[in-house]
Amino acid sequence: MRFLNFRNRVGYLLVFLRHRGLLYALKYLWVYLYYATDFFRGNRLFRWIGRFEHYPRMIEVETTTVCGLRCTMCEHTYWDYPPRNMTFEQFKGIVDQFPTLYWIGMTGIGSSFCNRDFLPMLEYVKARGVIVEMYDTFYELDVEKIERVVRCGVDRLIASVDGCTAEVYERIRVKSDFERVTANIRTLVETKRRLRSPFPQLSFHFIVSRENVGQIADYVDFVDELTAGEHCGILFSTLLSAFAEVQPLAVGIPPEAKADAERRARRRGVTLLWNKITREDKPPMRECTEWSQPFIFVDGSVIPCCASNEHNCRRYQIDHALGNVFEQSFREIWDGPRYRQLRRMIRAGGVPPSCVACPSYALPPKAGFAKERERNDG
């Protein structure tokens, strides 16, 4: 399985080289090595080199907290946080502070296309030569939006589809429509072929819960058939956090289902990935590289990465933010005392307040947002 995934990654790199040029390909290679693999994390030399990363080359920006769905595993369903859209000018003001930006993630706790400025935002960062990646439910898309997404050159679009039948999918993605979503995915595939564009590269994200755990292996066949054999990747994740409201949904990935999914992926040539949070033996906090990929909330608050999302603890995240880009420049935040302290703690293997519930790295016993709230209350 690892060889197949490596071969497919090389294929992605060659697509970037052929269609985007050498500079783009080198950006993709840097992002992949630094963030998506253990190549840097497990090597002391490269971790030492990473200490001299003087300014982020990767960021994530949440452009909206508006969403009409009521997905059973999503913190948004249980929020009292007010819906808000980021304006184009606010977004541009953020992006313009990163002159060497390689990659941007355009997904937050909201449905991106509910923001009417979202397409102009995509077009702006693509005009700057930035690699753009985003997750989407495909519910708010239509033919016109899909055409613009393909024409502006979004690099990767990950479809958040957590079931391969309408019954299971609509039980999880409440207020969504399985037929509408799958029709939009087919339209994307057809539009890419009509415009002869390899972009956006299409992938799928499946969040495993008690509702869909029985469909893990079948999902590989479903994706391959839905996309008419277009090469796609699939990322399987467990719940980022089993916070109180979703605790009954939490479940692990059965070894036999994982093995069956991998057999089918090999047979169909599908890239299959298991999210880092599914590991039984998590790496130590000192190997974290995600702190150099800040996540910026719709209100401007800056947190070190996206991993603390989906814990239903937005107020805690804002209270322990590293700064706010609508109140000061990102450079001031990056060079400020909170960010410096966070970097020192992570390099020493400590757990900063922002990271007390990290699902990707090993944490000391009793770490978590709930425990931290108790300490603060005391």
Side-chain angles (χ1 to χ4, degrees):
M1 198 69 219
R2 288 183 179 180
F3 173 75
L4 174 63
N5 289 348
F6 174 76
R7 185 188 68 187
N8 289 340
R9 288 290 184 180
V10 171
Y12 288 151
L13 181 62
L14 293 176
V15 169
F16 272 99
L17 184 62
R18 186 179 309 117
H19 295 274
R20 297 281 203 237
L22 179 60
L23 181 58
Y24 249 100
L26 291 175
K27 287 179 181 179
Y28 172 81
L29 182 62
W30 189 93
V31 170
Y32 175 65
L33 291 177
Y34 192 77
Y35 179 70
T37 75
D38 292 330
F39 182 75
F40 276 81
R41 297 187 189 98
N43 187 294
R44 291 184 180 181
L45 172 61
F46 286 108
R47 287 206 308 275
W48 179 79
I49 292 173
R51 297 179 64 150
F52 299 96
E53 186 64 15
H54 69 286
Y55 201 68
R57 302 173 194 265
M58 300 179 290
I59 63 172
E60 295 190 75
V61 181
E62 176 184 75
T63 61
T64 186
T65 51
V66 177
C67 184
L69 306 186
R70 303 286 291 175
C71 303
T72 56
M73 70 296 194
C74 181
E75 65 178 336
H76 191 282
T77 300
Y78 311 98
W79 264 3
D80 57 6
Y81 188 76
R84 176 173 175 172
N85 282 321
M86 184 179 289
T87 68
F88 176 79
E89 288 304 319
Q90 288 174 326
F91 176 79
K92 182 177 181 297
I94 293 170
V95 171
D96 288 350
Q97 295 183 58
F98 297 87
T100 58
L101 191 61
Y102 284 6
W103 178 96
I104 185 169
M106 297 282 284
T107 308
I109 308 301
S111 187
S112 301
F113 289 97
C114 287
N115 186 338
R116 64 181 182 182
D117 285 341
F118 187 66
L119 277 165
M121 292 172 182
L122 290 178
E123 290 162 348
Y124 181 73
V125 288
K126 284 311 306 177
R128 283 194 45 181
V130 178
I131 296 173
V132 176
E133 180 176 304
M134 59 175 289
Y135 291 75
D136 195 71
T137 64
F138 274 70
Y139 180 75
E140 299 292 341
L141 283 169
D142 57 33
V143 172
E144 180 183 354
K145 291 174 182 175
I146 289 170
E147 179 105 6
R148 286 181 67 179
V149 165
V150 176
R151 288 190 180 277
C152 82
V154 169
D155 299 274
R156 186 181 296 280
L157 184 53
I158 302 104
S160 296
V161 181
D162 312 289
C164 49
T165 62
E167 179 185 6
V168 170
Y169 171 81
E170 291 175 6
R171 192 162 59 234
I172 296 169
R173 299 273 174 179
V174 178
K175 295 190 176 182
S176 189
D177 184 314
F178 185 74
E179 292 303 320
R180 174 173 170 172
V181 166
T182 53
N184 282 333
I185 291 170
R186 292 189 190 97
T187 298
L188 175 67
V189 173
E190 292 164 2
T191 304
K192 287 174 57 180
R193 289 175 179 169
R194 174 168 54 83
L195 298 178
R196 298 183 179 180
S197 172
F199 300 104
Q201 294 175 342
L202 180 61
S203 296
F204 288 77
H205 188 209
F206 183 106
I207 300 176
V208 179
S209 70
R210 291 194 185 278
E211 300 279 11
N212 61 13
V213 65
Q215 292 195 336
I216 289 175
D218 290 340
Y219 192 76
V220 176
D221 299 327
F222 163 74
V223 165
D224 194 49
E225 291 164 10
L226 175 64
T227 60
E230 172 163 323
H231 175 71
C232 292
I234 300 173
L235 174 66
F236 286 102
S237 299
T238 52
L239 299 180
L240 277 176
S241 169
F243 56 87
E245 292 86 348
V246 302
Q247 178 64 49
L249 298 174
V251 66
I253 298 175
E256 62 275 12
K258 183 175 181 179
D260 192 6
E262 291 183 345
R263 281 193 296 270
R264 299 192 197 193
R266 281 192 295 269
R267 186 171 67 246
R268 291 181 176 268
V270 173
T271 300
L272 200 61
L273 298 174
W274 306 94
N275 197 312
K276 292 193 295 291
I277 65 174
T278 65
R279 296 178 178 181
E280 292 184 5
D281 297 320
K282 291 182 169 49
M285 182 62 73
R286 66 175 178 274
E287 294 186 11
C288 174
T289 58
E290 284 86 345
W291 60 264
S292 63
Q293 185 183 315
F295 190 100
I296 301 172
F297 285 151
V298 69
D299 71 348
S301 299
V302 178
I303 62 173
C305 78
C306 67
S308 62
N309 289 335
E310 292 293 1
H311 289 70
N312 199 20
C313 220
R314 176 62 64 114
R315 178 47 54 192
Y316 178 93
Q317 291 175 289
I318 293 174
D319 289 345
H320 292 81
L322 303 168
N324 190 297
V325 291
F326 297 153
E327 298 171 2
Q328 60 189 139
S329 71
F330 186 85
R331 171 59 75 178
E332 291 173 315
I333 296 170
W334 180 256
D335 292 335
R338 289 188 181 184
Y339 231 131
R340 291 202 306 270
Q341 176 66 8
L342 178 133
R343 291 191 288 266
R344 282 195 296 266
M345 288 188 70
I346 289 176
R347 288 164 180 162
V351 183
S354 302
C355 309
V356 294
C358 178
S360 300
Y361 293 89
L363 298 174
K366 299 182 180 181
F369 287 135
K371 189 69 177 179
E372 192 69 18
R373 280 200 302 267
E374 291 175 11
R375 187 179 297 115
N376 291 343
D377 293 343

